[in-house]
Amino acid sequence: MDIVLSHENEMILETVRAFMEKEIYPHEEEVDRLGYVPKELGQQIEQQSIEAGLYSANLPESVGGGGLDYTNMAVVEREYGKTSHALHSWIGRPTELLMACQGDQIERYLTPCVQAKKRELFALTEPEAGSDVMAMKTNAKRDGDDWILNGSKHFISGPTMPDFAIVFAATGIDETPRGPRKRVSAFLVDVGTKGFDISEGNRCVSYRGYNNYQLFFSNVRLGPDQMLGEEGKGLELSGKWLGMGRIWVGATCAGKAERLYDLAVDWAANRKQFGKPIGQFQATGFKLADMAIGIKTADLLVMDAVAKADAGTLQDADAAMVKVYCSEMLNRVADDTVQIYGGMGLMEEMPIQRLWRDSRLERIWDGTSEIQRHIITRSILRPLGA
Ligand SMILES: Cc1cc2nc3c(=O)[nH]c(=O)nc-3n(C[C@H](O)[C@H](O)[C@H](O)COP(=O)(O)OP(=O)(O)OC[C@H]3O[C@@H](n4cnc5c(N)ncnc54)[C@H](O)[C@@H]3O)c2cc1C
């Protein structure tokens, strides 16, 4: 990482790097080949991360978390990005949405997640409502004090079968100056509740071994204490999470790009054709130069965004810019690294093809590049009334 870091940032970086070298990197190839993380391995990573103080490092000390600020978390996420989600997600970073837990919810959901006793899923996407979140069909209707939940979700991802899901559902319609708009609320729904079915979804070629689930709700009865946050404030909650999520995507992309860059530099310096290292051909050398510029720009964008998040001034467009730039930069770096390796870049024995496959997802999840560009455009034009 070629930017100025504080002493505290450096110490955290050393801890994470040592952890990754020992607990994560040795298992990458096997997990990609198997297509799943053996349960004992997942639990071992989980246990080691608790001992290293990395589990729940993102949550405040007041709830038992590590209390890292956003700047330090960016340093951590950048290192996580060098490997597969299938592995680093076992380290555990419970969603900050759980900070909205109130009363008994704290003991039932927040504290067990902080302590690695429970796992949650974030369930927003539906088969017919991907980018168009407001097309969601999942709904909850009042029945006395209770709610009755119906609908389905897909592409809901996590390292292992969860204990509960944070489910977003329409709980009514609001009239707004722009016309009728679904009122969306968030619910805490326990796996095992009558009418709630969860099963593994399609297999993804990015991050093999990182599971995604399909969720089905058929007349699931939920008590009033299962609503997370206020009724109708679900989108504000999800927006807050997605905003920071986009910055973590940016940080992980910078980390993965650096890993690919190191591999590309090594090959360009050592692979010889026409009697000299291929890096000496301008077509290869300029690729390396563009990679270095891209990674540095990505780091600066991420660090600017987390400084704003720490200062409480982060805007949606800041997070969107980080997501678009870093994920697209990573995809250029991944593709150029394959090109620099030639045929060897596509061989299963080399890590390049895996990192290339993993990179592709980053332009899609947490909101596609196109949707991020809409967010940025809106921030430019809306103040002008356009
Ligand atoms: C592996 C994986 C894990 C995931 N994990 C989760 C999770 O844990 N929780 C969760 O809720 N979701 C999750 N998602 C869902 C993810 O956020 C969505 O896939 C993503 O938001 C895109 O939705 P979609 O796939 O339905 O694509 P679509 O919305 O169908 O989009 C298809 C294409 O059309 C383009 N498009 C759509 N609308 C517009 C527009 N207005 N302007 C221009 N272009 C447009 C898109 O940019 C894209 O290129 C996950 C997805 C994957 C693949």
Side-chain angles (χ1 to χ4, degrees), residues 122-127 129-132 154-157 204 210 212 361 364-371 374:
F122 173 90
L124 181 64
T125 304
E126 300 182 6
S131 302
D132 185 5
H154 83 158
F155 288 165
I156 308 307
S157 55
C204 185
Y210 186 57
N212 74 82
L361 176 60
I364 294 174
W365 65 1
D366 281 292
T368 63
S369 284
E370 292 76 14
I371 295 304
H374 275 305

Side-chain angles (χ1 to χ4, degrees), residues 134-166:
M134 292 312 269
M136 81 167 56
K137 290 188 176 154
T138 299
N139 64 82
K141 295 203 166 66
R142 273 199 186 280
D143 183 36
D145 283 345
D146 292 348
W147 294 91
I148 305 296
L149 179 70
N150 279 289
S152 67
K153 301 281 174 185
H154 83 158
F155 288 165
I156 308 307
S157 55
T160 184
M161 184 57 83
D163 298 280
F164 67 98
I166 301 171

Side-chain angles (χ1 to χ4, degrees), residues 10-184:
E10 294 277 8
M11 280 172 49
I12 288 165
L13 183 58
E14 263 177 46
T15 305
V16 184
R17 277 196 178 147
F19 185 88
M20 302 284 286
E21 293 287 347
K22 185 162 176 270
E23 306 294 342
I24 303 283
Y25 294 137
H27 306 292
E28 288 181 322
E29 268 176 48
E30 190 200 6
V31 164
D32 190 57
R33 185 172 43 77
L34 290 173
Y36 64 89
V37 179
K39 194 146 195 182
E40 318 73 65
L41 173 60
Q43 287 169 343
Q44 180 184 311
I45 295 171
E46 192 175 79
Q47 188 52 39
Q48 296 300 325
S49 79
I50 294 169
E51 284 171 27
L54 290 173
Y55 205 97
S56 301
N58 60 317
L59 294 182
E61 285 172 350
S62 58
V63 299
L68 293 190
D69 63 13
Y70 291 125
T71 304
N72 278 314
M73 271 315 292
V75 171
V76 172
E77 293 286 341
R78 193 181 188 280
E79 289 308 300
Y80 290 172
K82 293 181 180 174
T83 191
S84 167
H85 264 267
L87 285 161
H88 80 67
S89 56
W90 279 93
I91 294 172
R93 170 166 61 74
T95 167
E96 286 169 43
L97 279 187
L98 291 168
M99 293 301 293
C101 284
Q102 299 280 342
D104 289 350
Q105 293 174 344
I106 295 174
E107 214 172 298
R108 230 170 122 190
Y109 299 103
L110 172 62
T111 306
C113 284
V114 174
Q115 296 174 346
K117 291 181 181 146
K118 280 192 178 177
R119 291 266 184 177
E120 84 287 2
L121 292 179
F122 173 90
L124 181 64
T125 304
E126 300 182 6
E128 289 174 61
S131 302
D132 185 5
V133 170
M134 292 312 269
M136 81 167 56
K137 290 188 176 154
T138 299
N139 64 82
K141 295 203 166 66
R142 273 199 186 280
D143 183 36
D145 283 345
D146 292 348
W147 294 91
I148 305 296
L149 179 70
N150 279 289
S152 67
K153 301 281 174 185
H154 83 158
F155 288 165
I156 308 307
S157 55
T160 184
M161 184 57 83
D163 298 280
F164 67 98
I166 301 171
V167 179
F168 294 84
T171 49
I173 305 276
D174 287 327
E175 290 304 326
T176 76
R178 291 163 180 248
R181 191 179 145 89
K182 277 182 189 141
R183 191 188 312 149
V184 175

